[in-house]
Coordinates of all heavy atoms in Angstrom, one line a residue:
L128 N -25.5 -24.7 47.4 CA -25.8 -26.2 47.4 C -26.5 -26.6 48.7 O -27.1 -27.7 48.8 CB -24.4 -26.9 47.2 CG -23.7 -26.7 45.9 CD1 -22.4 -27.5 45.9 CD2 -24.6 -27.0 44.7
G129 N -26.4 -25.7 49.7 CA -27.1 -26.1 51.0 C -28.6 -25.5 51.0 O -29.0 -24.9 50.1
T130 N -29.2 -25.7 52.1 CA -30.6 -25.2 52.3 C -30.6 -24.2 53.5 O -29.5 -23.9 54.1 CB -31.5 -26.4 52.6 OG1 -31.0 -27.2 53.6 CG2 -31.7 -27.2 51.3
E131 N -31.7 -23.7 53.8 CA -31.8 -22.7 54.8 C -31.2 -23.1 56.1 O -30.6 -22.3 56.9 CB -33.3 -22.3 55.0 CG -33.4 -21.0 55.9 CD -34.9 -20.6 56.0 OE1 -35.7 -21.1 55.3 OE2 -35.1 -19.6 56.7
V132 N -31.3 -24.4 56.5 CA -30.8 -24.8 57.8 C -29.2 -24.7 57.8 O -28.7 -24.3 58.8 CB -31.2 -26.3 58.1 CG1 -30.6 -27.2 57.0 CG2 -30.7 -26.7 59.5
H133 N -28.7 -25.0 56.6 CA -27.2 -24.8 56.5 C -26.8 -23.3 56.5 O -25.8 -22.9 57.1 CB -26.7 -25.4 55.2 CG -27.0 -26.9 55.1 ND1 -27.8 -27.4 54.1 CD2 -26.7 -28.0 55.9 CE1 -27.9 -28.7 54.3 NE2 -27.3 -29.0 55.4
H134 N -27.6 -22.5 55.8 CA -27.3 -21.0 55.8 C -27.2 -20.5 57.2 O -26.4 -19.8 57.6 CB -28.4 -20.4 55.0 CG -28.5 -20.8 53.6 ND1 -29.4 -20.3 52.7 CD2 -27.6 -21.5 52.8 CE1 -29.3 -20.9 51.5 NE2 -28.2 -21.6 51.5
K135 N -28.3 -20.8 58.0 CA -28.4 -20.2 59.4 C -27.3 -20.8 60.3 O -26.8 -20.1 61.1 CB -29.7 -20.5 59.9 CG -30.9 -19.8 59.3 CD -32.2 -20.0 59.9 CE -33.3 -19.2 59.3 NZ -34.7 -19.5 59.9
R136 N -26.9 -22.0 60.0 CA -26.0 -22.7 60.9 C -24.5 -22.2 60.7 O -23.8 -22.0 61.6 CB -26.0 -24.3 60.7 CG -25.1 -25.0 61.6 CD -25.1 -26.5 61.1 NE -26.4 -27.1 61.3 CZ -26.8 -28.2 60.8 NH1 -26.0 -28.9 59.9 NH2 -28.0 -28.7 61.0
W137 N -24.1 -21.9 59.4 CA -22.8 -21.7 59.1 C -22.5 -20.4 58.4 O -21.4 -19.8 58.7 CB -22.2 -22.8 58.2 CG -22.1 -24.1 58.9 CD1 -21.5 -24.4 60.1 CD2 -22.6 -25.4 58.3 NE1 -21.7 -25.8 60.3 CE2 -22.3 -26.4 59.3 CE3 -23.3 -25.7 57.2 CZ2 -22.6 -27.7 59.1 CZ3 -23.6 -27.1 57.0 CH2 -23.3 -28.1 57.9
L138 N -23.4 -19.9 57.6 CA -23.0 -18.7 56.8 C -22.6 -17.4 57.6 O -21.7 -16.7 57.3 CB -24.1 -18.4 55.8 CG -24.2 -19.2 54.6 CD1 -25.2 -18.8 53.6 CD2 -22.8 -19.3 53.9
P139 N -23.4 -17.1 58.7 CA -22.9 -15.9 59.5 C -21.4 -16.0 59.9 O -20.8 -15.0 59.8 CB -23.9 -15.9 60.7 CG -25.1 -16.6 60.1 CD -24.6 -17.7 59.2
D140 N -21.0 -17.2 60.4 CA -19.7 -17.3 60.8 C -18.7 -17.3 59.6 O -17.6 -16.9 59.7 CB -19.5 -18.5 61.6 CG -20.1 -18.4 63.0 OD1 -20.2 -17.3 63.5 OD2 -20.4 -19.5 63.6
V141 N -19.1 -17.9 58.4 CA -18.3 -17.9 57.2 C -18.1 -16.4 56.8 O -17.0 -15.9 56.5 CB -19.0 -18.7 56.1 CG1 -18.2 -18.5 54.8 CG2 -18.9 -20.1 56.5
I142 N -19.1 -15.6 56.7 CA -19.1 -14.2 56.3 C -18.2 -13.4 57.2 O -17.5 -12.5 56.7 CB -20.5 -13.6 56.3 CG1 -21.4 -14.3 55.2 CG2 -20.5 -12.1 56.0 CD1 -22.8 -13.9 55.2
E143 N -18.2 -13.7 58.5 CA -17.3 -12.9 59.4 C -16.0 -13.5 59.6 O -15.2 -13.0 60.4 CB -18.1 -12.9 60.8 CG -19.4 -12.2 60.8 CD -19.2 -10.7 60.5 OE1 -18.2 -10.1 60.7 OE2 -20.2 -10.0 59.9
M144 N -15.6 -14.5 58.8 CA -14.3 -15.2 58.8 C -14.0 -15.9 60.2 O -12.9 -16.2 60.5 CB -13.1 -14.1 58.6 CG -12.9 -13.8 57.2 SD -12.2 -15.2 56.2 CE -10.6 -15.4 56.9
R145 N -15.1 -16.2 60.9 CA -15.0 -17.0 62.1 C -14.8 -18.5 61.8 O -14.3 -19.3 62.6 CB -16.1 -16.8 63.1 CG -16.2 -15.4 63.7 CD -17.3 -15.3 64.8 NE -18.6 -15.4 64.3 CZ -19.3 -14.3 63.9 NH1 -18.8 -13.1 64.1 NH2 -20.5 -14.5 63.4
I146 N -15.2 -18.9 60.5 CA -15.0 -20.2 60.0 C -14.2 -20.0 58.7 O -14.9 -20.0 57.6 CB -16.3 -21.0 59.8 CG1 -17.2 -21.1 61.0 CG2 -16.0 -22.4 59.2 CD1 -18.5 -21.9 60.9
P147 N -12.9 -20.0 58.8 CA -12.2 -20.1 57.5 C -12.3 -21.5 57.0 O -12.2 -22.4 57.6 CB -10.7 -19.8 58.0 CG -10.8 -19.3 59.4 CD -12.0 -19.9 59.9
G148 N -12.5 -21.5 55.6 CA -12.8 -22.8 55.0 C -12.1 -23.0 53.7 O -11.6 -22.1 53.0
A149 N -12.0 -24.3 53.3 CA -11.4 -24.7 52.1 C -12.5 -25.3 51.2 O -13.6 -25.8 51.6 CB -10.3 -25.8 52.3
F150 N -12.2 -25.3 49.9 CA -13.1 -25.8 48.9 C -12.4 -27.0 48.3 O -11.6 -26.9 47.4 CB -13.3 -24.7 47.8 CG -14.3 -25.1 46.7 CD1 -15.7 -25.0 46.9 CD2 -13.8 -25.5 45.5 CE1 -16.6 -25.4 45.9 CE2 -14.8 -25.8 44.4 CZ -16.1 -25.7 44.7
A151 N -12.9 -28.2 48.7 CA -12.2 -29.4 48.5 C -12.8 -30.2 47.3 O -13.5 -31.2 47.5 CB -12.1 -30.3 49.7
M152 N -12.5 -29.7 46.2 CA -13.1 -30.4 45.0 C -11.9 -31.2 44.2 O -11.9 -32.4 44.1 CB -13.7 -29.4 44.0 CG -14.2 -30.1 42.7 SD -15.0 -28.9 41.5 CE -16.6 -28.7 42.3
T153 N -10.9 -30.4 43.8 CA -9.8 -31.0 43.0 C -9.1 -32.1 43.8 O -8.8 -31.9 44.9 CB -8.8 -29.9 42.5 OG1 -9.6 -28.9 41.8 CG2 -7.7 -30.4 41.7
E154 N -8.8 -33.1 43.1 CA -8.0 -34.2 43.6 C -6.7 -34.4 42.8 O -6.5 -33.9 41.7 CB -8.7 -35.5 43.5 CG -10.0 -35.5 44.4 CD -10.8 -36.9 44.3 OE1 -10.4 -37.7 43.5 OE2 -11.7 -37.0 45.1
S155 N -5.7 -35.0 43.5 CA -4.4 -35.2 42.8 C -4.5 -35.8 41.5 O -3.8 -35.6 40.5 CB -3.4 -35.9 43.7 OG -3.2 -35.2 44.9
G156 N -5.5 -36.8 41.4 CA -5.7 -37.6 40.2 C -6.8 -37.1 39.3 O -6.9 -37.6 38.2
H157 N -7.6 -36.2 39.8 CA -8.7 -35.7 39.0 C -8.8 -34.2 39.2 O -9.2 -33.8 40.3 CB -10.0 -36.3 39.3 CG -10.1 -37.8 38.7 ND1 -10.0 -38.9 39.5 CD2 -10.3 -38.2 37.5 CE1 -10.2 -40.0 38.8 NE2 -10.3 -39.6 37.5
G158 N -8.5 -33.4 38.2 CA -8.7 -32.0 38.2 C -9.9 -31.6 37.5 O -11.0 -31.3 38.1
S159 N -9.8 -31.5 36.2 CA -11.0 -31.1 35.4 C -12.1 -32.1 35.4 O -13.3 -31.8 35.3 CB -10.6 -30.7 34.0 OG -9.6 -29.7 34.0
N160 N -11.8 -33.4 35.6 CA -12.8 -34.4 35.5 C -13.5 -34.6 37.0 O -13.2 -35.5 37.7 CB -12.2 -35.8 35.1 CG -13.2 -36.9 35.0 OD1 -14.4 -36.7 35.1 ND2 -12.7 -38.1 34.9
V161 N -14.3 -33.7 37.2 CA -15.0 -33.6 38.5 C -15.9 -34.8 38.7 O -16.0 -35.4 39.8 CB -15.8 -32.3 38.7 CG1 -16.6 -32.4 40.1 CG2 -14.8 -31.1 38.7
A162 N -16.5 -35.3 37.7 CA -17.5 -36.4 37.8 C -16.7 -37.7 38.1 O -17.3 -38.7 38.7 CB -18.2 -36.6 36.5
G163 N -15.4 -37.7 37.9 CA -14.6 -38.9 38.2 C -13.9 -38.9 39.5 O -13.0 -39.7 39.7
L164 N -14.3 -38.0 40.4 CA -13.6 -37.9 41.7 C -13.7 -39.3 42.4 O -14.6 -40.0 42.3 CB -14.3 -36.9 42.5 CG -14.2 -35.4 42.1 CD1 -14.9 -34.5 43.1 CD2 -12.8 -35.0 41.9
D165 N -12.6 -39.6 43.2 CA -12.5 -40.9 43.8 C -12.8 -40.8 45.4 O -12.9 -41.9 46.0 CB -11.1 -41.4 43.7 CG -10.8 -41.8 42.2 OD1 -11.6 -42.5 41.7 OD2 -9.8 -41.3 41.7
T166 N -12.9 -39.6 46.0 CA -13.3 -39.5 47.4 C -14.7 -40.0 47.5 O -15.6 -39.7 46.7 CB -13.2 -38.0 47.8 OG1 -11.9 -37.6 47.6 CG2 -13.6 -37.9 49.3
T167 N -15.0 -40.8 48.6 CA -16.4 -41.3 48.8 C -17.0 -40.8 50.0 O -16.3 -40.5 51.0 CB -16.3 -42.8 48.8 OG1 -15.4 -43.2 49.9 CG2 -15.8 -43.4 47.5
A168 N -18.3 -40.7 50.0 CA -19.1 -40.4 51.2 C -20.2 -41.5 51.3 O -21.2 -41.4 50.5 CB -19.7 -39.0 51.1
T169 N -20.0 -42.4 52.2 CA -20.8 -43.6 52.3 C -21.7 -43.4 53.5 O -21.3 -43.1 54.6 CB -20.0 -44.9 52.4 OG1 -19.1 -44.9 51.3 CG2 -20.9 -46.1 52.4
Y170 N -23.1 -43.6 53.3 CA -24.0 -43.4 54.4 C -24.1 -44.7 55.3 O -24.2 -45.8 54.8 CB -25.4 -43.1 53.8 CG -26.4 -42.7 55.0 CD1 -26.1 -41.6 55.8 CD2 -27.5 -43.6 55.2 CE1 -27.1 -41.4 56.8 CE2 -28.4 -43.3 56.2 CZ -28.2 -42.2 57.0 OH -29.0 -41.9 58.1
D171 N -24.0 -44.5 56.6 CA -24.0 -45.5 57.6 C -25.5 -45.4 58.2 O -25.6 -44.5 59.1 CB -22.9 -45.4 58.6 CG -23.0 -46.6 59.6 OD1 -23.9 -47.2 59.7 OD2 -21.9 -46.7 60.3
E172 N -26.3 -46.2 57.9 CA -27.7 -46.2 58.4 C -27.7 -46.4 59.9 O -28.5 -45.8 60.6 CB -28.6 -47.2 57.7 CG -28.7 -47.0 56.2 CD -29.5 -48.1 55.6 OE1 -30.5 -48.7 56.3 OE2 -29.2 -48.5 54.4
A173 N -26.8 -47.2 60.4 CA -26.9 -47.6 61.8 C -26.6 -46.3 62.7 O -27.2 -46.1 63.8 CB -25.8 -48.7 62.2
T174 N -25.7 -45.5 62.3 CA -25.3 -44.3 63.1 C -25.8 -43.0 62.5 O -25.7 -41.9 63.1 CB -23.8 -44.2 63.2 OG1 -23.2 -44.0 61.9 CG2 -23.2 -45.5 63.8
Q175 N -26.5 -43.1 61.3 CA -26.9 -41.9 60.5 C -25.8 -40.9 60.4 O -26.0 -39.7 60.6 CB -28.1 -41.3 61.3 CG -29.4 -42.2 61.3 CD -30.6 -41.5 61.9 OE1 -30.7 -40.3 62.0 NE2 -31.5 -42.3 62.4
E176 N -24.7 -41.4 59.8 CA -23.6 -40.6 59.6 C -23.0 -40.9 58.2 O -23.3 -42.0 57.6 CB -22.4 -40.9 60.6 CG -22.8 -40.5 62.0 CD -21.7 -40.9 63.0 OE1 -21.2 -42.1 62.8 OE2 -21.3 -40.1 63.8
W177 N -22.3 -39.9 57.7 CA -21.6 -40.1 56.4 C -20.1 -40.4 56.8 O -19.5 -39.9 57.7 CB -21.5 -38.8 55.6 CG -22.8 -38.4 55.1 CD1 -23.7 -37.5 55.6 CD2 -23.6 -39.0 54.0 NE1 -24.8 -37.4 54.9 CE2 -24.8 -38.3 53.8 CE3 -23.3 -40.0 53.1 CZ2 -25.7 -38.7 52.9 CZ3 -24.2 -40.4 52.1 CH2 -25.4 -39.7 52.0
V178 N -19.6 -41.3 56.0 CA -18.2 -41.8 56.2 C -17.4 -41.2 55.0 O -17.6 -41.7 53.9 CB -18.0 -43.3 56.3 CG1 -16.6 -43.7 56.6 CG2 -18.9 -43.8 57.5
I179 N -16.5 -40.2 55.2 CA -15.7 -39.6 54.2 C -14.4 -40.3 54.1 O -13.7 -40.4 55.2 CB -15.5 -38.1 54.5 CG1 -16.9 -37.4 54.8 CG2 -14.9 -37.4 53.3 CD1 -17.9 -37.4 53.7
N180 N -14.0 -40.7 52.9 CA -12.8 -41.5 52.8 C -12.1 -41.2 51.4 O -12.7 -41.1 50.4 CB -13.1 -43.0 52.8 CG -11.9 -43.9 53.0 OD1 -11.0 -43.5 53.8 ND2 -11.8 -44.9 52.2
T181 N -10.8 -41.0 51.5 CA -9.9 -41.0 50.3 C -9.2 -42.3 50.2 O -8.2 -42.4 51.0 CB -9.0 -39.8 50.4 OG1 -8.3 -39.7 51.6 CG2 -9.8 -38.5 50.2
P182 N -9.6 -43.2 49.5 CA -9.1 -44.6 49.5 C -7.7 -44.8 49.1 O -7.1 -45.8 49.3 CB -10.0 -45.4 48.6 CG -10.6 -44.4 47.6 CD -10.7 -43.1 48.4
F183 N -7.1 -43.8 48.3 CA -5.7 -44.0 47.9 C -5.1 -42.6 47.6 O -5.9 -41.6 47.6 CB -5.6 -44.8 46.6 CG -6.7 -44.6 45.6 CD1 -6.7 -43.5 44.7 CD2 -7.7 -45.5 45.5 CE1 -7.6 -43.3 43.8 CE2 -8.8 -45.3 44.5 CZ -8.7 -44.2 43.7
R184 N -3.8 -42.5 47.3 CA -3.2 -41.2 47.2 C -3.8 -40.3 46.2 O -3.8 -39.1 46.4 CB -1.7 -41.5 47.0 CG -0.8 -40.2 46.8 CD -0.9 -39.3 48.0 NE -0.1 -38.0 47.8 CZ -0.6 -37.0 47.2 NH1 -1.9 -37.0 46.7 NH2 0.1 -35.8 47.0
N185 N -4.1 -40.9 45.0 CA -4.6 -40.0 43.9 C -6.0 -39.3 44.3 O -6.4 -38.4 43.6 CB -4.8 -40.8 42.7 CG -3.8 -40.5 41.6 OD1 -2.8 -39.7 41.9 ND2 -3.9 -41.0 40.4
A186 N -6.6 -39.9 45.4 CA -7.9 -39.3 45.8 C -7.7 -38.1 46.8 O -8.7 -37.4 47.1 CB -8.8 -40.3 46.4
W187 N -6.5 -37.8 47.1 CA -6.3 -36.7 48.1 C -6.8 -35.4 47.4 O -6.6 -35.2 46.2 CB -4.9 -36.6 48.4 CG -4.3 -37.6 49.4 CD1 -4.9 -38.8 49.7 CD2 -3.1 -37.5 50.2 NE1 -4.1 -39.5 50.6 CE2 -3.0 -38.7 50.9 CE3 -2.1 -36.5 50.3 CZ2 -1.9 -38.9 51.8 CZ3 -1.1 -36.7 51.2 CH2 -1.0 -37.9 51.9
K188 N -7.4 -34.5 48.2 CA -7.8 -33.2 47.7 C -6.5 -32.3 47.6 O -5.7 -32.3 48.6 CB -8.8 -32.6 48.6 CG -10.1 -33.4 48.7 CD -10.8 -33.6 47.4 CE -12.2 -34.2 47.5 NZ -12.8 -34.4 46.3
D189 N -6.4 -31.7 46.6 CA -5.1 -30.9 46.3 C -5.3 -29.5 45.9 O -6.3 -29.1 45.4 CB -4.3 -31.7 45.2 CG -2.8 -31.7 45.5 OD1 -2.4 -30.8 46.2 OD2 -2.2 -32.6 44.9
Y190 N -4.3 -28.7 46.1 CA -4.1 -27.3 45.7 C -5.2 -26.4 46.4 O -5.6 -25.4 45.8 CB -4.3 -27.2 44.2 CG -3.5 -28.2 43.4 CD1 -4.2 -29.0 42.5 CD2 -2.1 -28.2 43.4 CE1 -3.5 -30.0 41.8 CE2 -1.4 -29.2 42.7 CZ -2.1 -30.1 41.9 OH -1.4 -31.0 41.1
L191 N -5.6 -26.8 47.5 CA -6.7 -26.1 48.2 C -6.3 -24.9 49.0 O -5.4 -25.0 50.0 CB -7.4 -27.1 49.2 CG -7.8 -28.5 48.6 CD1 -8.4 -29.3 49.7 CD2 -8.6 -28.4 47.4

Side-chain angles (χ1 to χ4, degrees):
L128 300 180
T130 53
E131 188 174 355
V132 63
H133 303 119
H134 297 172
K135 291 181 177 179
R136 181 186 296 163
W137 293 310
L138 282 183
D140 286 338
V141 170
I142 294 172
E143 296 295 332
M144 281 290 293
R145 291 189 290 268
I146 301 180
F150 183 78
M152 177 183 280
T153 298
E154 296 179 353
S155 300
H157 284 106
S159 300
N160 181 13
V161 177
L164 296 179
D165 292 307
T166 301
T167 58
T169 306
Y170 185 64
D171 183 346
E172 297 175 34
T174 62
Q175 296 185 20
E176 293 174 317
W177 294 102
V178 181
I179 310 296
N180 191 46
T181 48
F183 41 77
R184 176 62 184 80
N185 252 10
W187 286 19
K188 300 297 183 179
D189 215 339
Y190 317 117
L191 314 178

